[in-house]
Amino acid sequence: MKAAVVLLTLSFLPLFAFFTNLPLVLSDEVEQVVDINDNPIFPGSTYYIIPAIRGPAGGGVKLGLTSNTNCPVTVLQDFSEVVRGLPVRFKIPGISPGIIFTGTPLEIEFARKPGCTESSKWVVFVDNEIQKACVGIGGPKDHPGQQTMSGTFHIQKYKFGYKLVFCVNGTSTCLDIGRFDANNGESGRRLNLTEHEAFDLVFVEASDYEAIIKSVV
């Protein structure tokens, strides 16, 4: 199905105008999601999201300022591999604690939030300046003048680790989350919806992070 058909049905033209085709069908293979130590990840625990291959790929995910806001509400991946970023928590809507499998609908939030926003929950918004659908936090009030989108995140197996996927509520439309360098002085790469290469990542339980770093240095 062409994305344009979905747009007309959902009235989300500003968001999906960036995509010519629906790039993804979720895999039928289901398995429990594990961290870098092969331990299952659970809702409520805290994890760092880092590249599956360390080095030039950069560091962990964090929050940063972008050109259209005075509050750090945009999710970035730090350029430096030594930066661990901010820990996140996963939540299965309507279920607690639950088990996280590949394909499980999830909400994601940072364990800490800026004082200038009411929520650290991940959302997708359209940055009009760079014309891309990006990952941020909060809600419409935190992204004035930008279109925001409701949906859930999923984890899928990918290359050397996993990838994150965003699925639009009430539809079968799911898009990979990749990375984009806006080249405008930001302190990291944007996480954005993409039909190209996804962000190949792994999860590190927050209390284990220092031990992992020492083992690879």
Side-chain angles (χ1 to χ4, degrees):
M1 179 185 294
K2 295 294 183 179
V5 176
V6 178
L7 308 185
L8 294 175
T9 303
L10 301 177
S11 299
F12 288 136
L13 181 59
L15 176 61
F16 288 101
F18 311 125
F19 306 99
T20 57
N21 295 283
L22 301 186
L24 171 66
V25 175
L26 293 182
S27 172
D28 291 331
E29 297 182 7
V30 175
E31 60 184 72
Q32 192 165 12
V33 179
V34 298
D35 66 15
I36 201 170
N37 291 322
D38 288 328
N39 296 318
I41 68 171
F42 292 103
S45 297
T46 54
Y47 301 90
Y48 292 103
I49 297 175
I50 62 174
I53 299 178
R54 293 188 60 79
V61 299
K62 62 178 187 177
L63 287 170
L65 288 170
T66 53
S67 57
N68 52 19
T69 178
N70 293 320
C71 182
V73 293
T74 302
V75 179
L76 304 173
Q77 185 224 358
D78 201 276
F79 291 123
S80 173
E81 68 272 15
V82 301
V83 175
R84 59 187 176 182
L86 297 174
V88 302
R89 293 191 182 97
F90 301 100
K91 178 182 178 181
I92 305 174
I95 300 177
S96 181
I99 299 174
I100 298 176
F101 294 96
T102 53
T104 298
L106 298 170
E107 295 176 354
I108 305 175
E109 65 179 10
F110 285 109
R112 299 187 297 275
K113 73 175 188 67
C116 51
T117 181
E118 293 185 2
S119 171
S120 63
K121 181 179 174 181
W122 286 25
V123 297
V124 170
F125 70 98
V126 178
D127 188 314
N128 299 324
E129 183 174 332
I130 64 173
Q131 290 293 292
K132 288 188 178 293
C134 301
V135 180
I137 63 167
K141 292 182 179 179
D142 298 298
H143 304 277
Q146 316 279 27
Q147 182 186 9
T148 57
M149 181 143 225
S150 61
T152 55
F153 294 88
H154 299 237
I155 299 169
Q156 294 288 340
K157 289 290 294 181
Y158 185 69
K159 291 187 176 179
F160 300 100
Y162 296 98
K163 64 181 178 180
L164 294 175
V165 177
F166 180 77
C167 292
V168 183
N169 279 348
T171 79
S172 59
T173 303
C174 296
L175 299 165
D176 289 346
I177 294 179
R179 295 170 294 177
F180 173 75
D181 187 354
N183 292 314
N184 58 3
E186 295 173 7
S187 62
R189 303 178 182 93
R190 302 277 194 108
L191 266 60
N192 71 295
L193 304 190
T194 184
E195 58 179 349
H196 303 296
E197 185 175 359
F199 180 15
D200 191 9
L201 53 87
V202 291
F203 307 103
V204 181
E205 207 280 324
S207 63
D208 290 341
Y209 186 86
E210 294 301 330
I212 295 296
I213 293 299
K214 290 178 182 179
S215 71
V216 298
V217 171

